[in-house]
Amino acid sequence: MIRVVIADDEAPAREKLRHWLSEQGDMTVVGSAEDGFSASQCIDRCQPDVAFLDIQMPTLSGLQVAAQLEPSSAPLVVFVTAFDEHAVKAFDLNAVDYLLKPYDRERLARTLQRVRERIRTHQSGAAAVAIGRERSPACDRLLVPDGERLELIDAASVEWLQADDNYVHVHTAVRTYLIRRTLQDLLSQLGGQRFVRIHKSTAVNLGSIVSLTPLFKGDHEIHLHNGRVLRLSRRYREALFARLGR
């Protein structure tokens, strides 16, 4: 059975989609939400196989919800909207499909077929997908929320990363972004050639390091180009020194 979450700020739209999905023998709706923040919580709680996300919702847009999902555990995403100007960003987020309101049963059926095909591909090639992720090159750009918009920033512009539970503060020279990801997942995306962990909750761009100052008991202070000083835990010292060629 394919588990589905529906997120739309319009109750009639949620009920229409729920009813049409109930006609499918292999679909079950396990949760619904009327705003972006509730949608994120619902996805975390229900662990669906696919999420139907309205793009324009209160608190967080559907695009922002999708951008903050962890790729390793994220459901498939179908965007649903009355506006077509978001299509490019939707497919940048690897959406399965983009349903333009008002859609009919025939159009939904094509979407559901794409969902089924994607799930079959994931299930049959799970091991190959995992290996591919390990070998995939680092991303050169990172999608981050910026108010009502999503912005693509250069990964090289990120100076350091700070974990905060299931969120990460992404610090650049210009500003700081908050994204809903784990630090480990974000480091996997950005790649180990550019960033290195210096504490259980902190990672730094190697290109941002200016100098290191020894402290007591093996810890160090790391000085960045922007004047920021970070603490290097002795647990991560050898890995950093190896990367710096010492």
Side-chain angles (χ1 to χ4, degrees):
M1 190 67 71
I2 298 173
R3 296 163 56 83
V4 181
V5 159
I6 299 170
D8 197 305
D9 62 343
E10 298 178 354
R14 294 196 304 273
E15 292 307 311
K16 168 187 171 181
L17 182 54
R18 181 189 293 272
H19 175 67
W20 285 0
L21 289 174
S22 70
E23 299 174 348
Q24 306 295 317
D26 59 346
M27 300 274 173
T28 180
V29 177
V30 296
S32 64
E34 59 184 19
D35 63 75
F37 183 74
S38 298
S40 292
Q41 291 183 317
C42 187
I43 290 170
D44 282 345
R45 182 176 66 253
C46 298
Q47 294 295 298
D49 300 303
V50 57
F52 285 80
L53 301 178
D54 186 18
I55 288 183
Q56 293 190 331
M57 294 187 291
T59 65
L60 293 172
S61 71
L63 291 170
Q64 290 173 319
V65 172
Q68 296 182 24
L69 295 172
E70 293 190 23
S72 60
S73 59
L76 302 178
V77 172
V78 175
F79 288 110
V80 186
T81 183
F83 307 95
D84 60 3
E85 67 266 24
H86 301 293
V88 173
K89 286 184 178 177
F91 288 106
D92 280 344
L93 290 167
N94 199 29
V96 175
D97 207 351
Y98 185 94
L99 280 175
L100 191 62
K101 298 177 181 178
Y103 55 88
D104 55 21
R105 278 183 170 87
E106 181 180 352
R107 179 64 182 87
L108 178 62
R110 294 200 298 271
T111 294
L112 297 181
Q113 187 57 33
R114 291 177 182 176
V115 168
R116 294 182 182 104
E117 291 172 356
R118 185 76 70 88
I119 288 176
R120 281 197 296 268
T121 300
H122 283 198
Q123 290 174 341
S124 62
V129 169
I131 294 172
R133 282 177 179 155
E134 292 175 2
R135 296 178 179 175
S136 60
C139 292
D140 292 326
R141 297 195 296 173
L142 181 65
L143 195 63
V144 295
D146 182 15
E148 296 295 321
R149 305 182 306 113
L150 289 171
E151 182 180 349
L152 276 169
I153 63 173
D154 291 333
S157 71
V158 177
E159 298 183 335
W160 64 290
L161 304 165
Q162 181 181 22
D164 184 5
D165 290 331
N166 289 325
Y167 292 82
V168 177
H169 298 271
V170 178
H171 298 274
T172 72
V174 178
R175 57 175 297 184
T176 297
Y177 303 90
L178 181 65
I179 63 176
R180 192 174 184 279
R181 300 276 290 277
T182 64
L183 180 59
Q184 183 57 49
D185 177 67
L186 192 55
L187 289 174
S188 297
Q189 177 184 344
L190 294 173
Q193 296 303 310
R194 180 180 292 126
F195 292 86
V196 62
R197 209 162 189 154
I198 60 172
H199 187 273
K200 65 179 180 180
S201 61
T202 311
V204 66
N205 187 330
L206 290 169
S208 298
I209 297 175
V210 174
S211 62
L212 292 90
T213 302
L215 299 175
F216 296 106
K217 298 182 179 179
D219 287 1
H220 285 69
E221 285 184 341
I222 295 178
H223 301 263
L224 306 186
H225 285 291
N226 62 6
R228 169 74 63 171
V229 179
L230 304 176
R231 177 65 67 92
L232 168 64
S233 169
R234 62 181 180 275
R235 174 182 175 185
Y236 299 94
R237 180 185 59 191
E238 295 306 319
L240 175 63
F241 285 174
R243 297 289 300 281
L244 294 174
R246 174 171 169 178

